[in-house]
Amino acid sequence: MHTARIVLRERGSEQFLTSEVAERCGVSEGTIYKYFSTKRELLQRVAEDWFEEFLTEDPPSNPDEPIRERLFRVIWRNLWGIKKEPALTRFVLLELRPDPDFRKMKSYEQNRRFAAMVTDVVAEGIRRGELRGDVPPKVIRDMIFGAIEHQTWAYLRGEGDFSVDDSASAIADVITNGLGQRPRSGSVATLVDVASQLQESIGKLSAGVAELRVELASTQNFK
């Protein structure tokens, strides 16, 4: 399986050959089929191992840090995994996910576990009042993963590149700035802001009137 992962990384799933895996391992191709009934099953197991590594490498985080930073971390990990293993990512997206039996696969459950990490961070942001509560967490989760796919699709097709740091930062900013809590119209906070702005404007107007009076007085004295 380790060698299969290397061959997949080098060749892609389209040009992946079990015969090359067997040759690199120093065994016959038939030996591979004693453990895996098809090439697809071998690649599926490789993808499952990759997912499991991905899920168990979660670094410790501070639950008290701002939601924006926690979102950045989970988005960054997803982007980093794609950058590190583009061939595996393509195999999961293009071959496993469209499969009618995908929901029965271990990869599906692993994907759900990672998605739940993102949903949990979003739900915590809503609970703490850092994100709006009128948008369901699952919708925000879908927005995040949709943005990740669009940011990485050209790279997965071999047509471009992307920055893990920049993309993660931009997506986290869009979510937290676009869905952050803001005072409602007519709330106390809004009225205080309006009163403060009015008071400032009145002060400037009073100063302008005083200057105008001085100028008028000077003109009259001159006449």
Side-chain angles (χ1 to χ4, degrees), residues 111-125:
N111 187 69
R112 280 171 56 92
R113 283 164 56 192
F114 182 77
M117 294 180 187
V118 177
T119 307
D120 289 346
V121 173
V122 171
E124 176 65 12

Side-chain angles (χ1 to χ4, degrees), residues 2 33 61 76 89 99 136 138 160 175 177 180-181 211:
H2 174 71
Y33 291 108
S61 61
W76 188 95
T89 303
D99 192 309
K138 289 184 178 180
I175 296 299
N177 293 338
Q181 283 283 19
E211 290 178 4

Side-chain angles (χ1 to χ4, degrees), residues 2-38:
H2 174 71
T3 302
R5 184 168 175 175
I6 294 173
V7 173
L8 175 62
R9 187 181 295 150
E10 295 174 358
R11 308 291 188 208
S13 60
E14 301 83 3
Q15 299 179 10
F16 179 92
L17 296 174
T18 53
S19 58
E20 183 175 359
V21 176
E23 182 181 355
R24 294 193 187 192
C25 291
V27 300
S28 68
E29 189 174 5
T31 301
I32 292 178
Y33 291 108
K34 291 172 100 174
Y35 300 96
F36 307 98
S37 59
T38 63

Side-chain angles (χ1 to χ4, degrees), residues 116-173:
M117 294 180 187
V118 177
T119 307
D120 289 346
V121 173
V122 171
E124 176 65 12
I126 294 172
R127 188 189 68 79
R128 284 162 45 172
E130 294 184 44
L131 296 176
R132 284 167 42 188
D134 58 338
V135 180
K138 289 184 178 180
V139 172
I140 301 175
R141 175 204 65 193
D142 292 346
M143 292 169 62
I144 291 171
F145 283 110
I148 288 172
E149 285 199 25
H150 278 278
Q151 285 285 298
T152 59
W153 188 237
Y155 172 75
L156 291 175
R157 288 171 57 88
E159 298 173 352
D161 200 357
F162 70 97
S163 165
V164 173
D165 291 340
D166 292 346
S167 295
S169 182
I171 296 171
D173 285 342

